[in-house]
Amino acid sequence: MYNLLKGKKGIIFGALNEHSIAWKTAQRAHEEGATFVLTNAPASIRMGELDVLAKKTNSQIIAADATSIEDLENLVEQSMEILGGKIDFVLHSIGMSVNVRKGKPYTDPNYDFTKKGWDVSAVSFHKVMNVLYHKKAMNSWGSIVALTYMAAQRVFPDYNDMADNKAYLESVARSFGYFFGRDFKVRVNTISQSPTPTTAGTGVKGFDGFIAYSEKMSPLGNATALECADYTISMFSDLTKKVTLQNLFHDGGFSNMGVSDAVMEKFE
């Protein structure tokens, strides 16, 4: 261990169970010397195993609906009190599509479901940064990271309206990232991860087939949840102080591939 985050303080959104990237990021942050608060929506905390993670990392849990400014204000204020000062890093690892859960196709969604998914998956990132910005809660050279997926740029039919949500999320990172960098020297980035068998990921139709396809397409293979956690830790560390406004592909090279030999063999 290198203690890359020794003395750093943070907030981690979205850890649900041991399969989630946020969970593994929290474990790695703890190993690297960070202290942090864990947060999720009250319903997710009841369904998940967050108390187990909190014990392992000596962290406190604060329930917060990331779509509620009031909840987020309370979260940030309590976090600074618990951690003893301003925040150095924030991970936004939240995503949910009601249309996917209810089996509604992209071509015929329930638009109330669409709005709910957009608010949870994307607008929540703007709200998180809004609260952090106005409360001046981030230390200089702090780092804010959100997790995304390449469906924001390319068509993956069964990813449904989550593709639109991720595109909005990435735009928010760039736009709000400008103001955070200009005013507080804080960096804001998104990490575009390989398809990963998390609770949310496996809920997408055809996921098993696609993850196998992605593995064949990527020269380095799919990036695991733990590898994504490692990359996120590097983005929280001082080693990446001048990286901001970027959508960083962490996908074994998939995003730059046209076709691979392994995939072509299936058609020859």
Side-chain angles (χ1 to χ4, degrees), residues 21 23-26 28 193 224-234 250:
I21 294 170
W23 183 291
K24 295 186 185 301
T25 302
R28 288 292 295 112
Q193 166 70 358
T224 67
L226 180 57
E227 288 167 337
C228 186
D230 286 337
Y231 191 35
T232 304
I233 294 301
S234 76
H250 185 253

